Amino acid sequence: GSQLAIPVRANAGAKVLVAYEVVVDFDFSVLAAELCVNGDVNNFACTLNEPRHSALLVAADQASSLTGTPTLGTVTLTVKATAVTRIGGFIAEIVLVERSSGQLHFYKKEDIRAGEGFADVHAASLRARALEGGPPASELRAASGRSRSLLYARRLQSTCEVVDGCQTGRWGDVSGDCELTAYDVIFAQEVFVKKRHFDALCPWSKRQLD
């Protein structure tokens, strides 16, 4: 069938993009994710169709120097049916760093606004265009919300408790924020390159790095 390539980009401005976790979602009755191509950040990974109406793009590189509008990845969708269909998504996490100070900036749990919209697709051909009078913004938010809820339901299967001043209990959480995100990869990379001291970490973080 026909295919539609969806490039996903971020606006980092003058800051450096070091990590992200972004979901692209769509109507599975109309489209199916077939391929995911890496973007500009190293250590890229992509999960397709888990759940089946989404693609999850993740990358983390503490040595990144990317500013401006880097590409996060490109998702290729196969057209299964003729329809006017929504394509959107949400930001699970984007991590930017100030060049001068090294200060981290986190953008989490936000719907994608720029670039979301509708595609007029046909099983044998496709036309992607902005459509007046399409489904309302509330429908866009509801669809993104379903993907977001499924993603965080998987992450929140365990709960944290404070032990000796440290958050413990979230498997894979090395940063100590009781969340498993792309930033944990950055945190681990910084330990391995000696930007953070292993001995200063909480016991739970050490166990996750072991």
Side-chain angles (χ1 to χ4, degrees):
S2 303
Q3 292 188 323
L4 178 63
I6 308 296
V8 183
R9 299 183 179 90
N11 183 4
K15 300 181 182 69
V16 178
L17 174 66
V18 294
Y20 61 85
E21 188 170 355
V22 173
V23 172
V24 175
D25 56 23
F26 48 87
D27 185 345
F28 181 74
S29 67
V30 179
L31 301 166
E34 295 291 341
L35 178 66
C36 198
V37 178
N38 63 287
D40 298 325
V41 181
N42 293 328
N43 306 311
F44 176 82
C46 183
T47 301
L48 300 178
N49 303 312
E50 293 185 12
R52 63 183 185 177
H53 58 268
S54 70
L56 172 65
L57 286 66
V58 182
D61 182 10
Q62 61 88 27
S64 171
S65 60
L66 295 168
T67 59
T69 55
T71 298
L72 308 185
T74 300
V75 179
T76 299
L77 305 175
T78 294
V79 179
K80 300 164 57 178
T82 298
V84 174
T85 186
R86 173 198 169 274
I87 300 173
F90 69 95
I91 298 165
E93 180 178 62
I94 287 180
V95 184
L96 305 178
V97 179
E98 296 273 3
R99 279 184 175 276
S100 56
S101 65
Q103 180 181 354
L104 293 170
H105 296 264
F106 295 88
Y107 302 88
K108 295 185 177 185
K109 304 176 184 177
E110 299 180 15
D111 289 335
I112 292 176
R113 301 297 185 186
E116 73 172 356
F118 296 85
D120 183 4
V121 298
H122 299 258
S125 63
L126 62 89
R127 291 174 293 159
R129 60 188 176 93
L131 295 173
E132 295 183 0
S138 59
E139 182 177 318
L140 293 177
R141 290 191 293 270
S144 286
R146 287 191 292 271
S147 288
R148 180 168 58 246
S149 297
L150 287 168
L151 177 65
Y152 284 99
R154 292 199 299 268
R155 289 182 177 165
L156 300 177
Q157 291 176 351
S158 60
T159 58
C160 287
E161 60 179 331
V162 178
V163 178
D164 296 329
C166 298
Q167 295 270 20
T168 65
R170 178 80 67 227
W171 294 107
D173 172 32
V174 298
S175 66
D177 62 0
C178 197
E179 294 188 36
L180 176 57
T181 66
Y183 177 61
D184 289 295
V185 179
I186 293 294
F187 193 98
Q189 291 174 350
E190 291 179 342
V191 173
F192 294 142
V193 300
K194 311 300 183 184
K195 290 181 67 175
R196 295 182 183 272
H197 296 292
F198 181 83
D199 292 340
L201 301 181
C202 291
W204 179 263
S205 295
K206 291 179 180 179
R207 287 177 59 191
Q208 306 315 298
L209 287 168
D210 189 1

